[in-house]
Amino acid sequence: MPHSATAGREAQLSALGLNDAAALRVNWTEAALYEEAVRRGEGEVARGGALVVKTGQHTGRSAKDKFTVRDAETENTVWWDNNAAIEPEQFAALWDDFRAYMKGRDLFVQELFGGADLEHRLPVRVVTELAWHSLFIRHLLRRPAAEELADFFAQFTIINLPSFRADPARHGCRSETVIAVDFSRRLVLIGGTSYAGETKKSVFTILNYLLPARGVMPMHCSVNDHGKDGAAIFFGLSGTGKTTLSADASRTLIGDDEHGWSENGLFNFEGGCYAKMIRLCPKAEPEIHATTQMWGTVLENVVMDPASRALDLDDATLAENSRGAYPIHYIPNASDDGRCGQPKNLIMLTCDAFGVMPPIAKLTPAQAMYHFLSGYTAKVAGTEKGVTEPQAAFSACFGAPFMPRHPAEYGALLRELIATHGVDCWLVNTGWTGGAYGTGSRMPIRATRALVNAALEGSLKSAQFRTDPMFGFQVPVSVPGVDGGILDPRGTWADAAAYDAQAEKLAKMFVENFARFESHVGAQVAAAGPRVQSARVAFAAAE
């Protein structure tokens, strides 16, 4: 079953110390890995053929256990306010211990590409001690053709050993769990966690570091394409509707999570999807739900009846963050090559639980950069302990945990690409209307889809717009097929004064959050945020 290794591969494996392993399963296929995972007892087979696995105590990313080596390569390129540092000597000790730990063990090796753009893709080697981890990353990254494997030379290596336990005193980490990135050695070491998403996001982190230096924009977003109407980018944090709104039967899905924007157009970083499974509805998301009944899908922490092998996607006993990993061709309208042309539209999604934002607004390039750097959404009461009212959540670039460089660097690149290609930018609120969470109601999905479609088809550009007095962006006055009342959020509130107070409260949060970026952006972008003082005058005049 293993492929024979070329001389170049042998040299790389030897340099990594992998020749001391008891056995190396290099580029095993999905069937071989699936069979081995079941044979080892790493997972169980569900009805329909999915592989069900449990990740133990770590059911999500261990963000506080991620570290980057601070050295001459990274000193002036990494955003240290957002990335925890370790010294080169500490990483060297960790690497020595990893190599010693791998001696005499059975290991799996996958040689894959991060990125569908043939000029900008990253050849990466992923080494795991679990067969199902190897199957997972084979689903999630892009699989080389046989002729490409013949002379494959990895530019980065990721080694994932869940049973390894780090020593904080020796390795400079926080706990027995560690995710350590060394950009000089081109090496990522993951230990003490079985959550497979750490490997996926490590590839994303690497690309987020490497690509901007080439003028290529890495993005935490989904992308779809319609040919005639062009491609669309959907930015959004968890729960904003990024996957749902990009999954449109009339448009080709390029990908649901990670993409690049180069001189050649948009391209998917991945070859698969990693979707949330908890309470997945077969009516609302039939394509994703269908993958739970397909052979080879890897289901993390999904509850299964041991006798019938039926899945219970509503059961959060093992994790609220239950996940499914599957190749992208399991989605019927997905792109085969993961590439499309330049975008015509860019949509930033927010779930505004304050009930302040309009359902859609048109952004200038400066406003787009402002809201991209802000990365706003809101948590609602009851989602976390102690959250009793809406709370603003800001994540720069809609993915701060994976951004090695300063957000302003990504923001400037995005603004340049928007201007170069004449992209229309929109802010879409999928959150609340008629009041804040607890008083108002959730934005109707039918209205959201109609507004998004109008933007993507181009008809919204000819609509009449008004300027929002608080946020300064352009809001359509009327859109065919959409209740006009919903387009004016202030008018949907029973108490206009209460809306004014809530809008000012949220606007001040934006201003306070953006203060950390003001010295890194030009005057035009700094002035693209909320206008608290002038809004007060406008609201008073409206009374």
Side-chain angles (χ1 to χ4, degrees), residues 119-136:
E119 295 181 42
H120 299 295
R121 64 187 182 180
L122 175 73
V124 61
R125 178 173 288 116
V126 180
V127 181
T128 67
E129 66 173 321
L130 294 177
W132 80 261
H133 272 191
S134 196
L135 175 61
F136 168 91

Side-chain angles (χ1 to χ4, degrees), residues 269-293:
F269 284 171
E270 301 181 313
C273 301
Y274 191 37
K276 282 190 175 182
M277 292 287 120
I278 194 66
R279 292 177 285 278
L280 188 68
C281 176
K283 290 185 178 179
E285 297 184 273
E287 295 87 358
I288 298 175
H289 190 276
T291 67
T292 67
Q293 304 295 318

Side-chain angles (χ1 to χ4, degrees), residues 157 230-232 245 256 260 313 419 521 527:
T157 297
L245 290 172
D256 77 331
L313 301 179
V521 301

Side-chain angles (χ1 to χ4, degrees), residues 11-22 24 88-107 127 157 159-161 164 170-171 182 185 187-190:
Q12 281 200 314
L13 296 178
S14 178
L16 292 168
L18 296 179
N19 287 347
D20 293 329
L24 281 181
E89 296 77 14
Q90 294 168 325
F91 186 91
L94 180 65
W95 180 215
D96 286 343
D97 292 344
F98 257 63
R99 282 184 289 189
Y101 194 83
M102 290 188 291
K103 287 182 179 179
R105 294 182 181 271
D106 293 347
L107 299 171
V127 181
T157 297
I159 301 177
N160 192 331
L161 307 175
F164 178 88
R170 174 170 164 79
H171 303 136
D182 190 328
R185 293 177 185 257
L187 185 61
V188 179
L189 305 177
I190 303 170

Side-chain angles (χ1 to χ4, degrees), residues 335-384:
S335 166
D336 291 331
D337 63 12
R339 302 189 294 271
C340 64
Q342 300 294 344
K344 288 189 176 180
N345 289 278
L346 185 154
I347 292 172
M348 297 183 192
L349 300 167
T350 181
C351 179
D352 176 31
F354 290 86
V356 167
M357 295 287 193
I360 196 166
K362 195 173 192 309
L363 306 175
T364 66
Q367 289 171 334
M369 184 173 173
Y370 183 96
H371 284 277
F372 177 70
L373 291 178
S374 298
Y376 165 69
T377 192
K379 300 174 184 177
V380 298
T383 56
E384 292 182 12

